[in-house]
Amino acid sequence: MCLGIPGQVVEISDREKKLGIVDISGVKRQVNLACVAQGEDLSPLLGQWVLVHVGFAMNVIDPEEAARTIELLRELGEAQAELESMQKSGARP
Amino acid sequence: MNGDDQRLMQRIEKHRRRLGKVRESVVVLAHGGGGKAMRDLIDDLVVGELGGEGLVVDEDQARFSLGALAAHGDRLAFTTDTYVVTPLFFPGGDIGKLAVNGTVNDLAVSGAKPLYLSCGLVLEEGLPIETLRRVLRSMKLAADEAGVQIVTGDTKVVPRGKADQLFINTSGVGVIPKGVEVHAQGLRPDDCVLVNGYLGDHGAAILVARGELKLESDIATDSAPLNGMIAELVKAVEVRAMRDVTRGGLAAVLNELALSSEVGMVVDASALPVRREVAGLTELLGLDPVHLANEGKVVVVVPAKDVEPALRIMRAHRYGQESALIARCRAESPGIVTLDTGFGGERILEMLVGEPLPRIC
Amino acid sequence: MKYVDEFRNPKGGKGILADIERLVAKTGRTAKNPLKVMEICGGHTHAIFKFGLQSMLPEALELVHGPGCPVCVLPVGRVDDALSLAVRPNVIFASFGDAIRVPGSKGSLLEAKAEGADVRTVYSPSDALELARQNPNQKVIFFGLGFETTVPSTALTVLEAARDGVDNFLVFSNHITIVPTLRALLDSDGLHLDGFVGPGHVSMVIGVRPYDFVAAEYKKPFVVSGFEPLDVLQSVRMLLAQIVDGRATVENQYRRLVKDDGNRVALEAIQEVFEPRATFEWRGLGSIEHSGLQLRAAYARFDAEAHFKVPSVSVPDPGVCECGDVLKGAIKPWECKVFGTACTPETPIGACMVSSEGACAAHYNYGRLNPSSRLRTVS
Ligand code: SF4
């Protein structure tokens, strides 16, 4: 229901209002960082990936969790490939 | 009349025949009034900027020799289009460039060689003269690149608020070479659909340039004359159908072709050429590149045997470097365009109902 | 695109699909008596159709498209209210693009605009606030739409307006919340669902705990899911694993974005600015208690409904429309009598046809090929 898209924080544009520039594959937009700010200092957000929804960064994307999900997907794919090759070799006379 | 008087009269007469100059800095109603001010505007801007050998000012119409036209082929192609765009200037182009290339392409996709254009201007009172000059200069550049002549024109001025700055109508005449048969009903099962490059660039550039979405990007319009590339194509391969991709995007063109020819069409999602920035923009706004406008793209349908030579010709051309084979026609589900998602699934590729609007969900 | 492409890689789908097939086989369910899994969120519906996922799943597994599209569930009466605000003199009405074409009983915002109302499309509530700053002599009314994902952005914008004293900024709130709606759905008669794919982006705000009751009280498996095709497939697989094991718990597939407790700042902003309405009407589902949000008294000066009288007449859904049953999964869109004939995305009759995320519109746009063949095999 809610379109959200990952973008990278590339600039802090207004510290007081907690605004920053986010890059979404080459398209830039100023977004509100209030929901992802940890404390007053916004600079740790630089370079981080956030999910942008209607001009607001709603959460930071956790790279480790993302990697874990991808790893899981990869394992499933490998298990399937193995299974298929086993079936193939088993079918051979 | 003594000698002094005569010299004075000569001076005055010479002055009267001198090309007019616009002294105002903005367009005023008098510029459309039919009097001296209008004459000045036409002399200074229309003739001054667009003028070439073909432009006829003294008559109310351009005249062509039938014999000269017939040297190019055996049928005339005639088209018209009106250009309205906000903003007038945007990355990579402006309304003038669109007005020339759009009509050139409308002619070219019939296989015709575009030759002559008209230029009708509707000016809003208060439009800066410099703006008009820039647009006309850009039209001239575009016409020169496309190898067409602007041969007749018309100017109207409307009161402030009755039009948005500047509207342009261009009509065009071209000649279709003997033997070239390109029709929307020409598609057959197993024909292949090609496109000459990135989708959605113009639509994306305008969305960003309007500024309402407060986005920044380097996306530029793809406005370009395609007659050169098309002329080479129709000479070398069998082209079944051609359509330029404009408003409504690729989806509209493919659906129109599929319906006209009553064939089904399967588009390969992974083959669609889309610029990285346009992909980002469409993801952000919930749009689809296949629904965004282009101004320099053409869909070319060829029989399977001609895919390789056609792509070679297109890719060798300045405006076709990213050309790709994007779809195949089939007898199944006639009139319906489907998209192979690359995921093993297939879905219908519909035309957009209205304008592409940013979504939140 | 980082964090998108990895989860769209078609190669990754094969293993999961094979797993899904194995798991479905274990349940012993068939095409005649399929497992029914509801994706609550329109974003998932969109992804499922965009990538043609349904056509890849076994026939004994059916995806039911839920009510999670805030535009689709907006009742006719509220659209009429929005129009009554938009046509007022000295008002700029700012709306997301989604809502511009939604038909009320007297036309849509797009038509009101054509007739002279100042209707603007905005991408963000902060853009609406900007409009208010630029036009101090006009009232700028923001059409607040959406679930908990969108509510924080409206709330933070109201807080900014309050801080900066932008008093010509108003919100017409139609914000809604998912949990009461989910409960109403679970309580409704004739509902046969075996599990839920949970809304990922709502959950990044509210966390995963609010769904505990689905597992605890209703014994239904629930998996919070991302929006890319591999996310959705993996979530379906996780649901099936629960069903096969006879478990019912709340799991989180979208860990890269969703934390158990959600987002504190966002929740606090909602809490500060909004409170639940006693009841709110949904298209197709009727009135649901505490499912709508209104501005608290402390922020009444930003509330369009406190400023202007809106008609608030409840207009019944069109009689032929079976959206309610579609949303509950009782019937499929193409089983509605007017689907694809009188009711199309161009001339929508019911809510489900309005937004491209509505179940009927999604079927019309993306699925017309498959359902007909599917229909034939089932009947
Ligand atoms: S097809 Fe139209 S009328 Fe029928 S249920 Fe869907 S939205 Fe309602």
Side-chain angles (χ1 to χ4, degrees), chain C residues 14-319:
Chain C
K14 276 182 115 191
I16 312 180
L17 279 166
D19 248 23
I20 287 177
E21 229 159 277
R22 264 197 296 279
L23 288 165
V24 170
K26 272 193 197 156
T27 65
R29 302 283 276 267
T30 62
K32 281 215 176 61
N33 172 30
L35 284 162
K36 288 190 180 187
V37 168
M38 173 180 277
E39 84 277 0
I40 299 163
C41 173
H44 288 135
T45 309
H46 201 73
I48 286 162
F49 281 100
K50 184 169 173 192
F51 294 95
L53 300 185
Q54 174 78 71
S55 65
M56 301 155 67
L57 294 171
E59 288 209 342
L61 173 64
E62 192 180 289
L63 296 174
V64 177
H65 316 306
C69 162
V71 179
C72 310
V73 297
L74 197 66
V76 178
R78 293 298 281 183
V79 179
D80 289 353
D81 291 349
L83 277 162
S84 82
L85 290 170
V87 298
R88 281 178 180 274
N90 259 322
V91 158
I92 298 174
F93 196 81
S95 166
F96 294 131
D98 313 51
I100 295 279
R101 265 189 293 262
V102 181
S105 62
K106 298 175 205 73
S108 65
L109 285 168
L110 195 66
E111 290 162 81
K113 182 179 179 193
E115 284 163 18
D118 193 349
V119 177
R120 315 270 182 104
T121 314
V122 290
Y123 163 70
S124 166
S126 57
D127 296 349
L129 182 62
E130 194 55 38
L131 275 177
R133 289 189 216 263
Q134 286 162 1
N135 299 279
N137 299 321
Q138 281 169 291
K139 297 270 183 225
V140 172
I141 304 179
F142 173 66
F143 196 7
L145 284 173
F147 285 92
E148 287 95 329
T149 322
T150 322
V151 189
S153 57
T154 307
L156 286 166
T157 306
V158 168
L159 290 172
E160 188 177 336
R163 196 186 55 216
D164 296 353
V166 190
D167 284 337
N168 61 328
F169 176 75
L170 299 171
V171 174
F172 177 50
S173 170
N174 290 275
H175 285 303
I176 42 184
T177 53
I178 197 69
V179 168
T181 314
L182 204 51
R183 198 180 269 282
L185 203 65
L186 282 160
D187 283 336
S188 64
D189 308 325
L191 186 83
H192 300 288
L193 293 176
D194 298 285
F196 292 90
V197 175
H201 289 156
V202 162
S203 307
M204 91 189 148
V205 172
I206 69 173
V208 297
R209 300 192 207 284
Y211 308 115
D212 282 345
F213 74 97
V214 180
E217 293 172 39
Y218 296 89
K219 310 280 177 254
K220 303 282 183 201
F222 194 102
V223 178
V224 171
S225 171
F227 291 87
E228 299 305 330
L230 292 185
D231 288 322
V232 176
L233 289 178
Q234 194 186 20
S235 301
V236 168
R237 183 189 158 278
M238 288 165 77
L239 277 176
L240 289 169
Q242 286 199 38
I243 294 170
V244 167
D245 295 351
R247 283 182 295 136
T249 54
V250 177
E251 291 179 306
N252 182 3
Q253 181 273 340
Y254 206 19
R255 290 194 166 276
R256 61 184 184 275
L257 208 60
V258 173
K259 304 286 164 249
D260 289 355
D261 293 317
N263 185 308
R264 191 182 49 82
V265 180
L267 286 171
E268 280 171 8
I270 298 179
Q271 195 60 30
E272 170 66 25
V273 176
F274 287 100
E275 65 188 5
R277 293 172 193 265
T279 171
F280 194 72
E281 194 190 326
W282 293 55
R283 250 200 223 209
L285 295 178
S287 286
I288 300 176
E289 272 178 31
H290 308 307
S291 65
L293 293 175
Q294 66 192 10
L295 279 92
R296 287 185 188 275
Y299 295 93
R301 71 180 200 277
F302 299 106
D303 189 349
E305 287 174 89
H307 256 269
F308 298 114
K309 242 191 100 47
V310 294
S312 19
V313 178
S314 161
V315 181
D317 292 328

Side-chain angles (χ1 to χ4, degrees), chain A residues 1-2 29 35 53-54 59 62, chain C residues 41 43 68 124 147 201 256-257:
Chain A
M1 64 193 82
C2 320
R29 154 101 201 184
C35 290
H53 173 68
V54 300
N59 255 2
D62 184 335
Chain C
C41 173
S124 166
F147 285 92
H201 289 156
R256 61 184 184 275
L257 208 60

Side-chain angles (χ1 to χ4, degrees), chain C residues 320-323 326 333 336 338-340 343 349-353 360:
Chain C
V320 286
C321 181
E322 300 182 78
C323 267
V326 170
C336 168
V338 290
F339 173 81
C343 185
I349 291 179
C352 317
M353 194 59 99
C360 293

Side-chain angles (χ1 to χ4, degrees), chain B residues 22 63 67 74 98 101 120 128 135 140 149 157 188 196 217 225 229 232 268 295 332 334 361:
Chain B
V22 173
R63 302 172 190 186
D74 59 355
L98 290 187
N101 287 338
V135 169
K140 171 73 170 150
Q149 289 179 14
V157 179
R188 291 169 222 170
N196 63 317
S217 86
M229 186 182 75
E232 286 178 44
D268 177 359
E295 288 291 344
E332 232 179 280
C361 55

